[in-house]
């Protein structure tokens, strides 16, 4: 049997493995997925997880539960040696080891891209995984609890000042959802008002959400302003040392909650491989998702998703001639990649990836959303319904869809769960405080 090794179990990797299980005949190939996490995260739901609208576990999909015909290794791939057809697998505990393969599929995804801004690495948090979304929710709930015990002043202002850096889809969705979450929290803190909270979004460009029309983006800006949320355009974060925010415009304020959503970059495994990469560090692939070099197709190597530079064959789509790094493309590339792998095994010709963007849809708070498909734009409640409908059904596996929709129904009946559990970061603190120790 041919040994197929999939590096990464995110959208593209998960769907590649899932569809291989469906299309491969018995004995045709042995499939292995290597990923440091035991689950796939549905990232479009991270803003709603951070805002308490979705239970965190419902936004992830277990590899082992749903890839039953696939060997799952929960570890990182630290090196890809395609010349020798082996990868080095590094687990969280234990020594690294090598895994041989016949065909490799690189779907390792992307990580948060940052810049050497003073204080950023020490003070900020990203929004790329479920753990970060949970931490943001707990942090905001904790800030409100602490601030309610303080008189008006700099200390309370710092606790109730929330900063998001990055005005793309992820940043705007997080910003809008958290503004909605904070408004819901205020109903339970009678000594705090909306004027006591301060929401700032920092965007280096002169506009937000480049995926939608300028008119739609202006509507979003107006909506956020009406909800007491400030957007700083043509502005860069200059420093965040000790939580003191300094902007390129000269403005300055303090915050205990700084969230960074300003872009992604290819998984670091691409720095330790002999597979070809383009100037941004992404894997070079052709439209049929086979890895290519200057000499042509690299045998037995494939790639898809955010880690790969996939040519966009649809006119006037993509950025720089490549598909944009989003879930819509990664899922469809994963499905096509599985079919192309099966075709390759059976001596058939692989198909090229071609997908016309269905449009952009975003939720920016409870009952508020935007939808853009060509010249057609929806705003407000109908767009919010479109957002929930699209992503609810796009969530992999029916048992996960049911949990998500069930979560939304319960929230509609009883309102969202506002409880934060900040102590989960230090679960042993209570035990350690009162534990009896041996007398010295």
């Amino acid at each position: 049997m041919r040994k197929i090794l999939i590096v990464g179990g995110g959208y593209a990797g998960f769907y590649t493995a899932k569809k291989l299980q469906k299309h491969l005949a018995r004995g045709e190939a042995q499939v292995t997925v290597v990923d440091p996490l035991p689950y796939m995260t549905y990232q479009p739901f991270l803003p709603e997880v951070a805002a308490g609208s979705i239970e965190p576990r419902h936004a992830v999909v277990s590899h082992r539960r749903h890839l039953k015909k696939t060997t799952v290794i929960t570890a990182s791939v630290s090196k890809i040696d395609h010349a020798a057809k082996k990868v080095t697998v590094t687990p969280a505990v234990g020594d690294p080891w090598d895994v041989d393969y016949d065909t490799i599929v690189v779907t390792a995804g992307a990580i948060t891209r940052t810049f050497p801004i003073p204080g950023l690495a020490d003070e900020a948090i990203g929004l790329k995984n479920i753990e970060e979304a949970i931490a943001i929710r707990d942090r905001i709930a904790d800030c409100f609890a602490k601030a309610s015990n303080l008189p008006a002043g700099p200390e309370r202002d710092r606790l109730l000042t929330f900063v998001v850096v990055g005005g793309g889809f992820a940043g705007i969705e997080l910003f809008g959802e958290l503004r909605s979450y904070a408004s819901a929290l205020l109903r339970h803190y009678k000594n705090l008002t909306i004027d006591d909270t301060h929401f700032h979004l920092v965007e280096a460009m002169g506009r937000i959400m480049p995926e939608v029309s300028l008119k739609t983006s202006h509507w979003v800006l107006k909506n956020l302003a009406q909800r007491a949320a400030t957007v700083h355009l043509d502005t860069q974060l200059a420093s965040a040392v000790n939580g003191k925010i300094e902007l390129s415009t000269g403005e300055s304020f303090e915050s205990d909650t700084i969230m960074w959503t300003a872009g992604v970059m290819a998984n670091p495994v691409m720095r330790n491989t002999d597979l070809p990469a383009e100037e941004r560090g992404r894997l070079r692939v052709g439209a049929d998702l086979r890895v290519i070099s200057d000499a042509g197709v690299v045998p037995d190597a494939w790639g898809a998703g955010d880690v790969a530079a996939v040519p966009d064959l649809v006119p006037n789509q993509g950025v720089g001639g490549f598909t944009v790094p989003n879930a819509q493309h990664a899922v469809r590339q994963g499905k096509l990649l599985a079919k192309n792998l099966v075709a390759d095994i059976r001596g058939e010709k692989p198909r090229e990836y071609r997908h016309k963007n269905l449009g952009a849809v975003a939720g920016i708070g409870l009952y508020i959303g935007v939808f853009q498909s060509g010249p057609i734009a929806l705003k407000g409640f109908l767009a919010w319904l479109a957002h929930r409908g699209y992503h609810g059904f796009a969530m992999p596996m029916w048992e996960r869809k049911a949990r998500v929709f069930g979560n939304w129904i319960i929230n509609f009946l009883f309102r969202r769960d506002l409880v934060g559990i900040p102590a989960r970061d230090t679960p042993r603190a209570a035990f350690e405080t009162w534990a009896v120790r041996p007398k010295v």
Side-chain angles (χ1 to χ4, degrees):
M1 283 196 298
R2 181 179 299 198
K3 291 184 288 187
I4 300 175
L5 180 69
I6 301 174
V7 181
Y11 297 117
F14 179 85
Y15 273 96
T16 300
K18 182 173 177 287
K19 293 302 179 181
L20 282 174
Q21 290 184 158
K22 177 181 178 181
H23 298 307
L24 284 171
R26 183 184 297 273
E28 265 191 311
Q30 175 187 344
V31 182
T32 300
V33 171
V34 185
D35 192 281
L37 296 173
Y39 49 78
M40 185 215 85
T41 302
Y42 191 72
Q43 293 178 358
F45 281 156
L46 293 183
E48 288 201 59
V49 171
S53 293
I54 292 179
E55 161 64 31
R57 288 178 299 174
H58 297 170
V60 300
V61 181
S62 168
H63 288 152
R64 285 182 167 82
R65 177 172 182 175
H66 296 290
L67 299 177
K68 295 179 181 178
K69 298 179 182 178
T70 301
T71 300
V72 176
I73 300 175
T74 304
S76 299
V77 170
S78 53
K79 181 180 180 181
I80 301 173
D81 184 353
H82 191 59
K85 287 198 171 180
K86 67 179 182 181
V87 301
T88 301
V89 173
T90 304
V93 178
D95 298 324
W97 74 92
D98 291 338
V99 175
D100 298 325
Y101 63 83
D102 298 311
T103 300
I104 192 167
V105 177
V106 183
T107 54
I111 62 171
T112 301
R113 180 190 63 182
T114 57
F115 302 103
I117 299 171
L120 179 66
D122 301 316
E123 302 293 337
I125 185 170
L127 189 70
K128 202 74 179 67
N129 56 54
I130 198 72
E131 294 82 3
E132 290 172 324
I134 296 169
I136 289 171
R137 174 182 171 176
D138 291 344
R139 172 77 65 85
I140 291 178
D142 191 42
C143 285
F144 269 81
K146 291 176 178 176
S148 67
N149 295 323
L150 296 174
E155 191 174 1
R156 191 172 81 174
D157 287 344
R158 178 180 171 118
L159 284 167
L160 296 178
T161 298
F162 309 101
V163 182
V164 174
V165 183
F169 247 61
I172 291 296
E173 284 194 294
L174 177 64
F175 193 58
E177 289 288 353
L178 293 184
R179 174 67 270 184
S180 177
Y181 179 47
S183 296
L185 283 168
L186 283 172
R187 290 196 293 267
H188 301 278
Y189 291 94
K190 304 304 181 184
N191 60 329
L192 299 177
T193 69
I194 193 170
D195 294 330
D196 295 319
T197 63
H198 313 282
F199 278 77
H200 297 270
L201 183 135
V202 181
E203 169 52 46
M205 295 175 59
R207 61 162 298 178
I208 59 169
M209 304 175 78
E211 299 90 343
V212 304
S213 69
L214 192 60
K215 182 179 179 180
T216 301
S217 73
H218 286 165
W219 182 89
V220 174
L221 289 174
K222 181 180 178 180
N223 177 270
L224 291 170
Q226 291 171 343
R227 295 158 60 192
T230 304
V231 177
H232 305 264
L233 297 178
D234 292 313
T235 305
Q236 297 178 358
L237 177 66
S239 176
V241 176
N242 296 324
K244 183 179 180 181
I245 304 297
E246 296 182 9
L247 304 180
S248 58
T249 57
E251 294 175 81
S252 179
F253 45 86
E254 294 188 9
S255 172
D256 277 345
T257 311
I258 306 165
M259 295 152 283
W260 179 271
T261 64
V264 297
M265 60 186 289
N267 190 293
V269 72
M270 287 302 300
R271 303 170 190 167
N272 202 14
T273 178
D274 55 351
L275 292 172
E278 43 90 79
E279 60 271 14
R280 292 182 60 187
R282 296 176 298 179
L283 183 69
R284 289 181 61 187
V285 301
D288 59 5
L289 306 179
R290 288 185 292 185
V291 176
I292 58 174
S293 67
D294 292 338
V297 173
V298 177
D300 302 319
W302 305 73
D306 293 359
V307 76
V310 180
D312 198 329
L313 302 182
V314 179
N316 303 318
Q317 299 284 328
V319 176
F322 300 104
T323 59
V324 296
N326 63 21
Q328 191 175 134
H329 283 301
V331 168
R332 287 167 174 79
Q333 288 168 11
K335 292 178 179 179
L336 176 63
L337 182 47
K339 293 179 180 179
N340 282 352
L341 284 166
V342 174
D344 183 60
I345 291 173
R346 298 173 182 173
E348 300 169 5
K349 186 177 180 180
R351 292 166 44 205
E352 292 184 332
Y353 177 74
R354 184 187 296 267
H355 172 66
K356 185 177 181 180
N357 194 345
L358 298 176
V361 61
I364 53 174
L366 199 59
Y367 308 130
I368 308 168
V370 291
F371 168 79
Q372 184 88 45
S373 181
I376 301 173
L378 295 176
K379 311 174 189 73
F381 181 70
L382 288 179
W384 176 82
L385 283 179
H387 162 75
R388 286 213 161 172
Y390 173 79
H391 285 298
F393 284 108
M395 180 73 185
M397 315 315 298
W398 280 103
E399 62 96 5
R400 280 306 183 214
K401 298 183 204 293
R403 294 178 194 274
V404 169
F405 278 107
N407 214 158
W408 286 335
I409 292 170
I410 290 172
N411 286 351
F412 176 76
L413 296 174
F414 302 107
R415 293 186 177 178
R416 79 179 98 189
D417 192 338
L418 302 177
V419 175
I421 312 176
R424 85 170 82 209
D425 293 332
T426 54
R428 295 188 66 251
F431 179 82
E432 285 184 291
T433 300
W434 303 107
V436 178
R437 291 171 170 81
K439 295 182 179 180
V440 177

